[in-house]
Amino acid sequence: MKEDPGSVMHAFIARLFPICRSITGGGVRKTLRLVQDRIPIQVHEVPTGTQVFDWSVPKEWNIRDAWVKDSSGKRLIDFGEHNLHVVSYSSPVHQRMRLTELKEHLHTLPERPEWIPYRTTYYEESWGFCLCENQLAKFDHDQEYDVCIDSSLEDGYLTYGECLLPGEEAAEVLVSCHVCHPSLANDNLSGIAVAVELARYLAKSSHRYSYRFVFIPGTIGSITWLAQNAEVIPKIHHGIVLTCLGDAGSMSYKRSRQGQAEIDRAFIHVLRHSGDPHTVLDFVPYGYDERQYCSPGINLPVGCLMRSRHNEFVEYHTSADNLEFVQPWALADSLANCLAAIDVLEYNRVYVNQKPRGEPQLGKRGLCKGLGPSADRRERELALLWVLNLSDGRHSLLDIAERANLPFALVRDASIALSKTELLIPG
Amino acid sequence: MKEDPGSVMHAFIARLFPICRSITGGGVRKTLRLVQDRIPIQVHEVPTGTQVFDWSVPKEWNIRDAWVKDSSGKRLIDFGEHNLHVVSYSSPVHQRMRLTELKEHLHTLPERPEWIPYRTTYYEESWGFCLCENQLAKFDHDQEYDVCIDSSLEDGYLTYGECLLPGEEAAEVLVSCHVCHPSLANDNLSGIAVAVELARYLAKSSHRYSYRFVFIPGTIGSITWLAQNAEVIPKIHHGIVLTCLGDAGSMSYKRSRQGQAEIDRAFIHVLRHSGDPHTVLDFVPYGYDERQYCSPGINLPVGCLMRSRHNEFVEYHTSADNLEFVQPWALADSLANCLAAIDVLEYNRVYVNQKPRGEPQLGKRGLCKGLGPSADRRERELALLWVLNLSDGRHSLLDIAERANLPFALVRDASIALSKTELLIPG
Amino acid sequence: MKEDPGSVMHAFIARLFPICRSITGGGVRKTLRLVQDRIPIQVHEVPTGTQVFDWSVPKEWNIRDAWVKDSSGKRLIDFGEHNLHVVSYSSPVHQRMRLTELKEHLHTLPERPEWIPYRTTYYEESWGFCLCENQLAKFDHDQEYDVCIDSSLEDGYLTYGECLLPGEEAAEVLVSCHVCHPSLANDNLSGIAVAVELARYLAKSSHRYSYRFVFIPGTIGSITWLAQNAEVIPKIHHGIVLTCLGDAGSMSYKRSRQGQAEIDRAFIHVLRHSGDPHTVLDFVPYGYDERQYCSPGINLPVGCLMRSRHNEFVEYHTSADNLEFVQPWALADSLANCLAAIDVLEYNRVYVNQKPRGEPQLGKRGLCKGLGPSADRRERELALLWVLNLSDGRHSLLDIAERANLPFALVRDASIALSKTELLIPG
């Protein structure tokens, strides 16, 4: 029995969940090693200090342990219990201090007293702990605490993974996801899981485009990748950033900066014909790595696929973004939408009707036979007529599907049937 | 006393109704002869086997009689009673058979037990009878029936009629209607009647465009006409297919494939200012002969004018599409809309304001006088101002009417008044 | 204590109100002298008979006194009581006549029995009186009346005023208002008052554009100005006609003939972000002097700013358009909208992001600091990101504000902050 892809992806997320990732360090390496178990990725290491456009690769951060102990030696905050307890990129600290002083380094979510927030301090040396508001109640003003973050911030590397699946054409589709969030399931592990499953699917079949998957730390990772891959950029014809794809919300697609790129039209077509509620968002220079891919000097046609949008679900960047929050069916649905959009890209071509004067006689070529049960028959016949009518060398199959308001698959099937006769040739 | 055009058209439909038309044969010839009584058409005969684009002219079909008799010799189905009783293009048959065998050749409308359906078997040799579901009840399983279709399917001709009314310009307006349906009043006779009345009207007055009326069998007729008139095609500046113009439904206009052609804008403008409910439909490569005129290698600006749309009225392609179904007032209203759209085409020109800096002084030229009763006065003055303001050589009168949201006739009148002064000249 | 501009403008209107203006004559001169007290205008006198495009400058009209006296010598109508009592441009008359004859020269508003209408007889020699319907009741059919209009209609001049405030650039912004209406407060005095206050404001500060204010009689004045200033026309980059800016209605902006000119977009942006209800109107060749500026041979990008539109408030062209009808707060609000639109024009430029590949690091340049209280912080950061993302040499700041749906001021501030670093330079 074949496993359902939703469960496969959820199980993979469960394996990745305990790792403490950040924008650099051992957590990213461990994550990429698990990805490598499933798809053939190449791991790249970029040294600290490397200039990447306006930025420079930061020091590598690693953490072994961290705690706040009370005078009895009891750990009130224990990094071993949850990765989110330490502010990511905290500099090492080991000292005793009273609550007043410590409090400036403690972060809670008063409105969600049982959740731990997720905080970072990249590009600004500092340190801190995150904890539940409830936990904070156990602290005592009069006591002195033993505070320790056993981390290191040293010259090292920024690590990213890349998987290229060559297709018939050199033209590439870029699939990007970030790998820098610690134990957060929807905001980043769901993206990794869908990307990996997509790569596994594409590795098994032949395809027209070459597919490049990049597993990178957010912002600095995509900037580093772009800075180091100038020769790849012109090859990218379409791209998508995958994130927050496991929650129970409906699908959202955020347009690329170009706004009407083929990738935009493909995803929007697929969502519109999915029959499910969905949201299409205009490009905004805020969000995930599409910000970098869509910076004005790069301007790649890269959109972003999500279910619930960051900042619009309360679990975002908290310990509630956990393994229960992501659901196999939602992961499977996200994957299905990706595959459908890729199907559009793969089959979207311009054809030319070779009998463009008057309608060609479909009957004598058997094109009206085998149109299937009569309920679909009329739509299938209409798809044949639309493909013939608009295949004048100026309309792609996606143009035709949109103008005819038919699902792309019907138009694709019509083009395949017509291509088997002398009526239709690629333009 | 002048007869009202609605009654004239209905009476003409009544004369055409009894004729058994098909895509070829004597029925078409008889029909064209009646048309010839009213307007000067030329009749063309194209031999069987002539290659026309992807098609070839079929054998000519004629029918003398047809019946199904019971053992007593009584006609249970009698072609003499209704043309629709025989499937159009049925091959000849004369044999005895039991109901089980016969039934495969009988067509009814179970949901409308008193109506006879209309069926054809062009391009596939076969035969059949159509009858009321109620009539079928009178058949007896045990009996043997005498079945006869006294038809012929032989080399002959495809017949079509053409009427050219030359105008001041060689540029043509094409008016097309199909003449291949037997006793069906709305689906095709109404189109013929409106086309004939339009031609009679235009024949009586001078006009800018040349008007070409074609009376053709559907699909194969327009394909044949296009294939044999390659030199005419570039002369066609505007075109309209007329069909289903006699029922009580509101007007519908289906755009040409070009979508924003002048013919499209003219009809849509007229319908919008008619004050009546109406529907504007986008082009779809399905429907009447506009499918052929709008095939990608022809791509003429030809729309289609209807009242109720085929497939959207239950009487469509049944014996209920009869002389009661079409109404004089509806035919007259359809004709009026055609004449109004033709008025737009005739008068739609680009003019140039000869005093384009500042407004010219209308008062000293008497242009503000005689603007009529004060209720209209403001609109008429506005039309003068709009024509002057937009007549910069880049806006036609229709552009102006649309931007000003004024009926075309007002803008036309303003252009005529201004052209009588030195203020406005053709562009 | 600084006076509030609304009261200043209202007080100025009160000074102008008693003057009997028309399209020529002493009333215009007196008005311009009062304008000259506040801003440096140059007064131009154009002789009667001067040809201006299709028109010629009319005779100058002046009036000293006018009355209708009953047999006892009592003034039933007295020009001294209200300027509106005499039809503007009435030719001189002095005779005795019965009511029947006189009545043809009397104008009232039966539906508003306490208001005096405003009437003119430019370009058609005639005379008349306007009065309240109630006043008319006091006339007696049997009496003879002494009727006198002590006016003159002689060769003279058309007078207009002009104020040019040079800016850094020769490119000009035209601000136009009419000065030909007698004691009407909203329909024209409000426009004069706002224009004068705008000029006073601009005179106090440096600005990029040169600003040209014209105070002209309606229609013939703008035609005369255009005819005599052919060399100025190409310098006008943006323009606005100011009128009816003091009533309590919401703001209206009427687009220029070009429709999408920068002046149109600037005013519409300002009104949309004002938070107040407002109306945007398409261009119509009817209204105020924008008709002349937008004639096809001139076609300047000149819009028209109003509150209530002429013909859409009942007080229009009656004695009820008085000093109570215009309100200080409304004048101040109109002025504020003008200043905001001018701010858009002044700061609207195209910039180029100098680090266009990936996002530049804002933090290291201190650009994220001092973004103000956290409520605004996110919007201010977004404005920085939008300016960087769209400053590719093809988008102006107004383009960016519109696409980002942010108030222009936020985008302007972001461009100023970024211009202080090496990240942004003018394009």
Side-chain angles (χ1 to χ4, degrees), chain A residues 234-261:
Chain A
K235 289 197 259 180
I236 296 173
H237 285 220
H238 319 287
I240 186 75
V241 168
L242 299 179
T243 184
C244 298
L245 288 169
D247 67 274
S250 59
M251 299 293 315
S252 300
Y253 178 77
K254 176 183 166 183
R255 291 177 188 272
S256 73
R257 181 180 185 268
Q258 298 181 17
Q260 289 287 351

Side-chain angles (χ1 to χ4, degrees), chain A residues 353 355-361 364-365 378 381-382 385-386 388-390 392 394-395 403 423, chain B residues 51 53-56 123 223 256-258 283-286 291-292 294-299 311:
Chain A
N353 176 349
K355 302 272 187 189
R357 292 181 300 158
E359 284 172 17
Q361 209 180 337
K364 73 181 181 192
R365 292 178 181 85
R378 177 112 200 282
E381 193 190 344
L382 211 48
L385 293 172
W386 271 114
L388 287 168
N389 191 279
L390 290 182
D392 53 7
R394 285 176 296 117
H395 297 91
R403 177 144 169 201
L423 291 177
Chain B
Q51 192 65 27
F53 297 150
D54 192 46
W55 303 62
S56 110
Y123 315 110
I223 287 170
S256 74
R257 180 179 186 267
Q258 298 181 17
F283 177 75
V284 172
Y286 198 83
R291 290 164 70 160
Q292 311 309 327
C294 296
S295 56
I298 306 288
N299 202 25
N311 270 332

Side-chain angles (χ1 to χ4, degrees), chain B residues 17-330:
Chain B
F17 192 75
I19 302 169
C20 183
R21 277 164 293 273
S22 185
I23 52 174
T24 60
V28 176
R29 284 191 197 93
K30 263 191 238 172
T31 300
L32 296 180
R33 231 169 288 135
L34 290 181
V35 170
Q36 236 162 359
D37 287 350
R38 300 185 66 74
I39 58 169
I41 61 168
Q42 233 189 315
V43 174
H44 298 262
E45 300 275 1
V46 184
T48 297
T50 306
Q51 192 65 27
V52 286
F53 297 150
D54 192 46
W55 303 62
S56 110
V57 171
K59 288 185 176 164
E60 183 174 326
W61 183 71
N62 284 289
I63 181 162
R64 281 155 297 273
D65 200 356
W67 65 79
V68 174
K69 290 181 186 164
D70 64 14
S71 49
S72 74
K74 190 185 156 206
R75 289 192 174 199
L76 295 182
I77 306 177
D78 183 357
F79 173 67
E81 281 180 0
H82 208 299
N83 287 323
L84 295 186
H85 276 320
V86 174
V87 170
S88 193
Y89 254 68
S90 281
S91 19
V93 62
H94 196 166
Q95 56 180 106
R96 299 188 64 80
M97 59 182 75
R98 298 211 163 265
L99 187 54
T100 337
E101 193 186 345
L102 175 58
K103 254 197 156 168
E104 283 169 29
H105 296 272
L106 299 184
H107 306 274
T108 65
L109 288 170
E111 69 280 15
R112 300 278 171 182
E114 304 193 338
W115 295 358
I116 310 166
Y118 165 53
R119 293 283 184 277
T120 67
T121 184
Y122 311 142
Y123 315 110
E124 194 180 332
E125 283 209 14
S126 173
W127 62 267
F129 288 90
C130 298
L131 66 163
C132 305
E133 180 74 14
N134 290 345
Q135 227 174 331
L136 191 59
K138 293 169 194 158
F139 282 73
D140 180 344
H141 268 272
D142 292 335
Q143 267 199 45
E144 212 179 45
Y145 293 94
D146 177 44
V147 174
C148 172
I149 296 180
D150 180 12
S151 67
S152 61
L153 208 49
E154 289 162 356
D155 281 357
Y157 298 90
L158 178 148
T159 315
Y160 69 82
E162 204 169 1
C163 165
L164 180 65
L165 302 174
E168 293 157 26
E169 298 181 10
E172 295 188 7
V173 179
L174 176 73
V175 181
S176 173
C177 58
H178 59 289
V179 294
C180 54
H181 285 40
S183 301
L184 294 164
N186 199 36
D187 184 2
N188 103 160
L189 296 185
S190 67
I192 299 172
V194 171
V196 165
E197 207 56 24
L198 212 49
R200 289 180 67 213
Y201 177 89
L202 288 162
K204 280 182 288 190
S205 56
S206 67
H207 35 84
R208 167 182 170 196
Y209 285 108
S210 299
Y211 288 81
R212 186 181 295 266
F213 291 80
V214 298
F215 299 86
I216 49 170
T219 304
I220 185 66
S222 48
I223 287 170
T224 300
W225 184 85
L226 285 166
Q228 302 220 318
N229 289 279
E231 78 293 351
V232 175
I233 295 173
K235 289 197 258 179
I236 297 173
H237 284 221
H238 320 286
I240 185 76
V241 168
L242 299 179
T243 185
C244 298
L245 289 170
D247 65 274
S250 59
M251 299 292 316
S252 300
Y253 177 78
K254 176 183 166 183
R255 291 177 188 273
S256 74
R257 180 179 186 267
Q258 298 181 17
Q260 290 286 350
E262 195 173 334
I263 188 79
D264 300 320
R265 295 173 57 212
F267 267 106
I268 294 166
H269 179 88
V270 162
L271 294 181
R272 195 183 302 139
H273 284 272
S274 70
D276 292 327
H278 63 273
T279 309
V280 174
L281 304 153
D282 282 333
F283 177 75
V284 172
Y286 198 83
Y288 292 96
D289 289 306
E290 70 278 6
R291 290 164 70 160
Q292 311 309 327
Y293 300 127
C294 296
S295 56
I298 306 288
N299 202 25
L300 283 172
V302 175
C304 178
L305 189 73
M306 302 158 278
R307 299 188 77 89
S308 291
R309 281 100 72 187
H310 57 98
N311 270 332
E312 299 194 0
F313 55 100
V314 288
E315 297 83 356
Y316 175 74
H317 278 194
T318 76
S319 56
D321 180 0
N322 57 24
L323 291 172
E324 283 73 54
F325 186 61
V326 296
Q327 309 195 5
W329 72 262

Side-chain angles (χ1 to χ4, degrees), chain C residues 154-230:
Chain C
E154 290 162 356
D155 281 359
Y157 299 90
L158 178 148
T159 314
Y160 69 82
E162 204 170 1
C163 164
L164 179 65
L165 302 174
E168 293 158 25
E169 298 182 8
E172 294 187 9
V173 178
L174 175 73
V175 181
S176 173
C177 57
H178 58 288
V179 293
C180 53
H181 284 40
S183 301
L184 294 165
N186 198 36
D187 185 1
N188 105 160
L189 297 184
S190 68
I192 300 172
V194 171
V196 165
E197 206 57 25
L198 212 50
R200 290 180 67 213
Y201 177 91
L202 287 163
K204 280 182 287 191
S205 56
S206 67
H207 35 85
R208 168 183 168 195
Y209 285 108
S210 299
Y211 287 81
R212 185 180 297 267
F213 291 80
V214 297
F215 299 86
I216 48 171
T219 305
I220 185 66
S222 48
I223 287 170
T224 300
W225 185 84
L226 284 166
Q228 302 220 318
N229 288 277

Side-chain angles (χ1 to χ4, degrees), chain C residues 45-225:
Chain C
E45 300 276 1
V46 184
T48 296
T50 306
Q51 192 64 26
V52 286
F53 297 150
D54 191 45
W55 304 61
S56 111
V57 171
K59 289 185 176 164
E60 182 174 327
W61 183 71
N62 284 289
I63 181 162
R64 280 156 297 275
D65 201 355
W67 65 79
V68 175
K69 289 182 187 165
D70 63 15
S71 50
S72 73
K74 191 184 158 207
R75 291 191 174 200
L76 295 183
I77 306 178
D78 182 358
F79 173 68
E81 282 181 1
H82 207 300
N83 287 323
L84 295 186
H85 276 319
V86 173
V87 169
S88 193
Y89 254 66
S90 282
S91 19
V93 62
H94 195 162
Q95 55 180 108
R96 299 188 65 81
M97 59 183 76
R98 298 214 162 262
L99 185 56
T100 338
E101 193 186 346
L102 175 59
K103 254 197 156 170
E104 283 169 29
H105 296 272
L106 299 184
H107 306 272
T108 64
L109 288 170
E111 67 281 15
R112 300 277 172 184
E114 306 195 338
W115 295 358
I116 311 167
Y118 165 54
R119 294 283 183 276
T120 67
T121 183
Y122 310 143
Y123 314 111
E124 194 182 330
E125 284 208 15
S126 173
W127 61 268
F129 287 90
C130 298
L131 66 163
C132 304
E133 179 75 13
N134 289 346
Q135 227 173 331
L136 191 58
K138 293 171 195 155
F139 282 73
D140 181 344
H141 268 274
D142 291 333
Q143 268 198 46
E144 212 180 46
Y145 293 93
D146 177 44
V147 174
C148 172
I149 297 180
D150 180 11
S151 67
S152 60
L153 207 49
E154 290 162 356
D155 281 359
Y157 299 90
L158 178 148
T159 314
Y160 69 82
E162 204 170 1
C163 164
L164 179 65
L165 302 174
E168 293 158 25
E169 298 182 8
E172 294 187 9
V173 178
L174 175 73
V175 181
S176 173
C177 57
H178 58 288
V179 293
C180 53
H181 284 40
S183 301
L184 294 165
N186 198 36
D187 185 1
N188 105 160
L189 297 184
S190 68
I192 300 172
V194 171
V196 165
E197 206 57 25
L198 212 50
R200 290 180 67 213
Y201 177 91
L202 287 163
K204 280 182 287 191
S205 56
S206 67
H207 35 85
R208 168 183 168 195
Y209 285 108
S210 299
Y211 287 81
R212 185 180 297 267
F213 291 80
V214 297
F215 299 86
I216 48 171
T219 305
I220 185 66
S222 48
I223 287 170
T224 300
W225 185 84

Side-chain angles (χ1 to χ4, degrees), chain A residues 102-334:
Chain A
L102 175 57
K103 255 196 156 169
E104 284 169 28
H105 297 271
L106 299 185
H107 306 274
T108 65
L109 288 170
E111 68 280 17
R112 299 280 171 181
E114 304 195 338
W115 295 358
I116 311 166
Y118 165 53
R119 294 282 183 276
T120 66
T121 184
Y122 312 143
Y123 315 111
E124 193 181 332
E125 284 208 15
S126 172
W127 61 268
F129 288 90
C130 298
L131 67 164
C132 304
E133 179 75 14
N134 289 345
Q135 227 174 330
L136 191 59
K138 293 170 193 157
F139 282 73
D140 180 345
H141 268 271
D142 292 334
Q143 266 198 47
E144 212 179 46
Y145 293 94
D146 178 43
V147 174
C148 172
I149 296 180
D150 180 12
S151 66
S152 60
L153 208 47
E154 290 163 356
D155 282 357
Y157 299 89
L158 177 148
T159 315
Y160 70 83
E162 202 169 2
C163 165
L164 180 66
L165 302 174
E168 292 157 26
E169 299 181 9
E172 294 188 8
V173 178
L174 175 73
V175 181
S176 173
C177 58
H178 59 288
V179 293
C180 54
H181 284 39
S183 302
L184 294 164
N186 199 37
D187 185 3
N188 105 158
L189 296 185
S190 68
I192 300 172
V194 171
V196 166
E197 207 57 24
L198 212 50
R200 289 180 67 213
Y201 177 89
L202 288 162
K204 280 182 287 191
S205 55
S206 67
H207 34 85
R208 168 183 168 196
Y209 285 108
S210 298
Y211 288 80
R212 185 180 298 266
F213 291 80
V214 300
F215 300 86
I216 49 169
T219 305
I220 185 67
S222 48
I223 287 170
T224 300
W225 185 84
L226 284 165
Q228 302 220 317
N229 288 277
E231 78 295 349
V232 175
I233 295 172
K235 289 197 259 180
I236 296 173
H237 285 220
H238 319 287
I240 186 75
V241 168
L242 299 179
T243 184
C244 298
L245 288 169
D247 67 274
S250 59
M251 299 293 315
S252 300
Y253 178 77
K254 176 183 166 183
R255 291 177 188 272
S256 73
R257 181 180 185 268
Q258 298 181 17
Q260 289 287 351
E262 195 173 334
I263 188 80
D264 300 320
R265 294 173 56 211
F267 267 104
I268 293 166
H269 178 89
V270 161
L271 294 181
R272 195 183 302 141
H273 284 272
S274 69
D276 292 326
H278 63 273
T279 309
V280 175
L281 304 153
D282 281 334
F283 177 75
V284 173
Y286 198 82
Y288 291 96
D289 289 305
E290 70 278 6
R291 291 164 69 161
Q292 312 309 327
Y293 300 127
C294 296
S295 56
I298 306 289
N299 201 25
L300 283 172
V302 175
C304 179
L305 190 72
M306 302 158 276
R307 300 189 76 89
S308 292
R309 282 100 71 189
H310 57 99
N311 269 333
E312 298 194 2
F313 55 99
V314 288
E315 296 85 356
Y316 175 73
H317 278 195
T318 76
S319 56
D321 180 1
N322 58 25
L323 290 171
E324 283 74 51
F325 185 62
V326 295
Q327 308 197 5
W329 72 263
L331 292 162
D333 181 61
S334 300

